[in-house]
Amino acid sequence: MPRHPFLLLLLLPLLCSHNTAADDDQPHNRFLQCLDSENSAAADSISKLIYTDTNPSYSSVLQFSIRNPRFNTSTTLKPLLIVTPRNISHIQATIKCSAKHGLQLRVRSGGHDYEGLSYASLLPNVQFIVLDMINFQDVAVDVASKTAWVQAGATLGQLYYAIAQKSSTLAFPAGVCPTVGAGGYFSGGGYGTMQRKHGLAADNVVDAVFIDAKGRTLGRSSMGEDMFWAVRGGGGNTFGVAVAWKVKLVAVPEKVTVFRVRRTLEQNATKIVHRWQTVANELPQDIIIMATIQKVNSTSTAQLTTTIQATFNALFLGGAEGVLKLIGDKFPELGLVKEDCTEMSWIESTVHFARFPANTPPAILLNRTITLLTGSAKYKGKSDYVQKPISETVWEGVWKKLDELGPLAGALVMIPYGGKMAEIPASSLPFPHRAGNLFLIQYDVFWNEDGAEAEERHVDWIREMYSYMTPYVSQNPRGAYMNYRDLDIGMNAVEGKTSYREARVWGVKYFKSNFDRLVRVKTAVDPENVFRNEQSIPPFSL
Ligand SMILES: Cc1cc2nc3c(=O)[nH]c(=O)nc-3n(C[C@H](O)[C@H](O)[C@H](O)COP(=O)(O)OP(=O)(O)OC[C@H]3O[C@@H](n4cnc5c(N)ncnc54)[C@H](O)[C@@H]3O)c2cc1C
Ligand SMILES: *[C@@H]1O[C@H](CO)[C@@H](O)[C@H](O)[C@H]1NC(C)=O
Ligand SMILES: *[C@@H]1O[C@H](CO)[C@@H](O)[C@H](O)[C@H]1NC(C)=O
Ligand SMILES: *[C@@H]1O[C@H](CO)[C@@H](O)[C@H](O)[C@H]1NC(C)=O
Ligand SMILES: *[C@@H]1O[C@H](CO)[C@@H](O)[C@H](O)[C@H]1NC(C)=O
Ligand SMILES: *[C@@H]1O[C@H](CO)[C@@H](O)[C@H](O)[C@H]1NC(C)=O
């Protein structure tokens, strides 16, 4: 693959056909005719739910769920059309017709894919349509059985809100960003603030409704345990369309405690980060302390200077006194004091982790477009797993690299493992990064400037950071997290004809030895590779 895949984008002609003549030979016209005939019996006509690029709402429907503005440019390869199904029959017809006419199908739920794969294509010459699950947003919580059915187009925020409406002591262990869609999130595993006690979101899925490549509606028992295993972490857009997940809720206390402690280099950040590496994954399961490292403007001197700051963000499933005692015993270097700790309900903690100001009403969780975590910046992310503590000298090299960019432009977000994460066997689900991992690093780079030069400068920076870290992170394979999609680690380069060997390059980084089982499941359930993209598991035959 080219070192700068984004350059491909710039060279691409505008491939989405702007032909205004009604030409029956155009693939999307044949597709539309096919949909019409497939759906003639449906009560709710599908034609109102289709947006071709000549429809005045096409751009607003497309842009509504674009969460990385990097793929919101005039040169981004866009879908021929978007279908927004309201009914399972609409999904079935869309799958059948796209398969019949050779159009690639990209399913979109929350639109947070780091590389924009749910609504854009980095491969040239791809004609694709988007199946947008925006109308599947229901969440049905059943307190008695402590379960909920979550439709794929619902966001994590909608799930959290719906649970809290029914109970103040039930919760779900999912991610920090409330606008993330259930469709993509569960498909890649899904971690969050309670993973050290309850594992991944996918570890807590007990049933699912999927539509497969043949258009069959499948539940857990009809899809079989192999497919049910694969869909819980093997990646989206690969085994079928996720319509809904049934999840097991977990118990939380009425009051949890959060803290956000910031330490700059002048406040011994290097020593504290060094210590954090080995402490955070050994702590009891009731606490998670995540660490974010960024360059910031210094507030300690009158002169304008910058420094590196580590922010320790924690959730403790208990009261403030308990966490003060725990940190005082096990991690005194952090210097946690009572004033740092705030007791709140679990639902309030989800608002806190999403960075909304204190006392923001939880209804903010229902907003699908407001995300303070990335703002309106373009971004690129990468990931690594750390299995041995990294020395202070190496961390100082990281600080130097962060210093090359402006304040807040680059970040390392580090999530400790251990606890329940280390107890679940590596083959239990496709997600293989369990015992033996100290923490996950997410590298991020953000920029606001338009154009190829700014993009190249920032993307080069994150690639250099990743290269610097090579000796200090997991090896053979160098692990990566599926939901932090990164096309640098390899991609299926030829549309529809991905070889096993080509896919294995990126596949073992996300899935380690689970990759082969995923290929076997894919071969059984989608031998024609109807569901595909730059990083979907290929069937053996291709
Ligand atoms: C700001 C931000 C914060 C994040 N925080 C976390 C976090 O705390 N924890 C975590 O684990 N991850 C986190 N992520 C990563 C996130 O889990 C992934 O980006 C996830 O894939 C997003 O799902 P989505 O439905 O929003 O995205 P989409 O872009 O809609 O989909 C992602 C992939 O899944 C496919 N897909 C989507 N819906 C379906 C469906 N219904 N059926 C089949 N395939 C489908 C898409 O085609 C695409 O390939 C974060 C991402 C962002 C941008
Ligand atoms: C969904 O589609 C089925 C099959 O075409 C149809 O019987 C049903 O009425 C539709 N439901 C809605 C709400 O449109
Ligand atoms: C996408 O670009 C359009 C203008 O071209 C803008 O109005 C819209 O806000 C942008 N959306 C995102 C998410 O970047
Ligand atoms: C930094 O650590 C040193 C010794 O390890 C200690 O004396 C000093 O008080 C610490 N500084 C801060 C701001 O905590
Ligand atoms: C969501 O938040 C954005 C940004 O604050 C705002 O413009 C929009 O109106 C909100 N949407 C809803 C449905 O409240
Ligand atoms: C840091 O300070 C500079 C100079 O005052 C300012 O332009 C910049 O916006 C600040 N950055 C942040 C992230 O606060």
Side-chain angles (χ1 to χ4, degrees):
M1 54 152 275
R3 191 166 131 67
H4 301 295
F6 60 88
L7 284 180
L8 271 178
L9 270 179
L10 305 171
L11 303 172
L12 290 174
L14 281 175
L15 284 159
C16 16
S17 167
H18 286 281
N19 218 341
T20 44
D23 182 350
D24 285 354
D25 287 343
Q26 288 296 308
H28 64 290
N29 285 332
R30 277 178 302 178
F31 172 83
L32 290 173
Q33 286 157 10
C34 171
L35 271 192
D36 250 12
S37 57
E38 280 292 330
N39 244 273
S40 53
D44 188 358
S45 166
I46 195 168
S47 61
K48 288 180 292 205
L49 305 170
I50 298 168
Y51 301 87
T52 63
D53 63 358
T54 54
N55 185 307
S57 301
Y58 172 86
S59 290
S60 60
V61 171
L62 177 64
Q63 287 167 12
F64 185 76
S65 298
I66 291 184
R67 292 280 79 85
N68 189 346
R70 185 181 168 199
F71 305 106
N72 184 31
T73 71
S74 55
T75 47
T76 309
L77 191 56
K78 297 181 181 64
L80 290 174
L81 55 88
I82 305 164
V83 183
T84 57
R86 287 198 171 277
N87 190 323
I88 282 184
S89 72
H90 301 147
I91 300 175
Q92 292 166 322
T94 305
I95 295 171
K96 275 190 195 157
C97 295
S98 58
K100 186 168 168 197
H101 295 291
L103 293 173
Q104 213 183 75
L105 183 63
R106 292 179 182 240
V107 190
R108 180 166 75 170
S109 291
H112 287 68
D113 194 281
Y114 274 29
E115 303 275 16
L117 297 194
S118 58
Y119 53 86
S121 173
L122 294 168
L123 292 172
N125 304 314
V126 173
Q127 297 196 303
F128 68 99
I129 64 175
V130 167
L131 180 73
D132 192 329
M133 298 297 285
I134 188 83
N135 295 318
F136 284 78
Q137 288 186 28
D138 287 349
V139 180
V141 175
D142 182 42
V143 171
S145 64
K146 298 192 177 125
T147 57
W149 272 104
V150 191
Q151 287 191 331
T155 62
L156 300 182
Q158 288 175 319
L159 170 60
Y160 298 159
Y161 189 80
I163 297 169
Q165 290 288 95
K166 293 258 178 96
S167 165
S168 56
T169 53
L170 286 177
F172 187 73
V176 295
C177 179
T179 53
V180 163
Y185 176 80
F186 285 92
S187 294
Y191 80 82
T193 52
M194 293 194 287
Q195 69 167 7
R196 301 192 67 256
K197 181 157 180 137
H198 299 292
L200 300 175
D203 293 322
N204 294 281
V205 169
V206 293
D207 201 347
V209 174
F210 257 75
I211 315 293
D212 75 0
K214 294 202 176 75
R216 291 177 301 204
T217 306
L218 304 172
R220 177 174 183 163
S221 56
S222 48
M223 75 177 77
E225 283 302 303
D226 266 347
M227 180 168 169
F228 186 59
W229 172 84
V231 300
R232 290 173 294 159
N237 222 68
T238 302
F239 303 102
V241 176
V243 177
W245 309 98
K246 185 181 185 185
V247 300
K248 205 167 58 184
L249 304 180
V250 302
V252 286
E254 292 275 359
K255 288 287 170 215
V256 301
T257 304
V258 301
F259 65 76
R260 188 177 287 148
V261 170
R262 299 183 172 92
R263 295 288 181 260
T264 61
L265 293 186
E266 296 70 32
Q267 297 166 319
N268 293 339
T270 308
K271 280 205 157 41
I272 303 172
V273 168
H274 185 260
R275 182 86 186 109
W276 171 89
Q277 299 179 97
T278 44
V279 174
N281 85 103
E282 292 285 343
L283 289 172
Q285 304 191 351
D286 281 334
I287 189 166
I288 190 163
I289 308 178
M290 308 185 281
T292 301
I293 302 177
Q294 286 171 301
K295 173 178 171 176
V296 295
N297 282 334
S298 187
T299 51
S300 61
T301 59
Q303 278 162 327
L304 181 70
T305 53
T306 60
T307 184
I308 301 297
Q309 178 177 272
T311 305
F312 298 91
N313 252 311
L315 173 69
F316 177 66
L317 300 171
E321 251 171 62
V323 75
L324 275 165
K325 183 172 182 324
L326 180 65
I327 299 301
D329 280 357
K330 309 271 184 185
F331 193 15
E333 299 84 350
L334 187 60
L336 186 72
V337 295
K338 203 171 166 210
E339 293 66 41
D340 295 324
C341 301
T342 312
E343 292 184 342
M344 54 180 65
S345 62
W346 169 76
I347 193 70
E348 288 165 342
S349 80
T350 68
V351 175
H352 165 86
F353 278 101
R355 300 293 166 88
F356 292 111
N359 302 319
T360 303
I364 193 78
L365 297 170
L366 302 176
N367 188 313
R368 296 181 73 93
T369 56
I370 183 166
T371 163
L372 302 186
L373 293 165
T374 58
S376 55
K378 307 175 184 73
Y379 57 85
K380 159 93 186 137
K382 299 177 80 67
S383 61
D384 258 325
Y385 282 92
V386 177
Q387 296 169 338
K388 291 181 304 224
I390 294 172
S391 73
E392 288 189 27
T393 316
V394 171
W395 283 119
E396 279 160 2
V398 171
W399 312 160
K400 234 189 219 153
K401 284 228 62 71
L402 283 166
D403 198 39
E404 289 171 11
L405 294 177
L408 306 185
L412 268 68
V413 182
M414 310 199 291
I415 313 293
Y417 276 48
K420 178 86 174 203
M421 288 298 285
E423 291 167 6
I424 297 173
S427 60
S428 166
L429 288 186
F431 178 96
H433 313 290
R434 307 281 188 170
N437 291 290
L438 296 176
F439 55 98
L440 162 72
I441 304 181
Q442 173 188 191
Y443 311 91
D444 285 314
V445 65
F446 302 98
W447 66 98
N448 286 301
E449 306 98 298
D450 289 328
E453 186 279 325
E455 173 159 343
E456 186 167 347
R457 190 157 34 87
H458 288 90
V459 173
D460 277 353
W461 176 86
I462 200 172
R463 288 178 179 153
E464 284 162 17
M465 174 70 94
Y466 189 75
S467 158
Y468 170 78
M469 294 299 282
T470 308
Y472 317 115
V473 297
S474 67
Q475 328 244 344
N476 302 316
R478 182 174 184 172
Y481 175 37
M482 171 82 249
N483 268 345
Y484 289 157
R485 170 117 45 215
D486 177 8
L487 295 180
D488 293 353
I489 68 170
M491 61 191 258
N492 306 336
V494 185
E495 212 287 298
K497 294 218 171 38
T498 305
S499 72
Y500 167 83
R501 263 180 47 210
E502 191 178 40
R504 205 169 196 290
V505 173
W506 57 265
V508 294
K509 293 174 180 157
Y510 290 142
F511 306 116
K512 297 175 115 176
S513 55
N514 293 328
F515 176 74
D516 283 346
R517 184 172 174 196
L518 287 169
V519 173
R520 286 198 298 276
V521 177
K522 173 73 176 183
T523 309
V525 308
D526 183 16
E528 305 297 332
N529 210 15
V530 169
F531 294 100
R532 61 186 185 271
N533 64 27
E534 290 81 343
Q535 278 184 346
S536 57
I537 304 281
F540 267 128
S541 51
L542 292 176

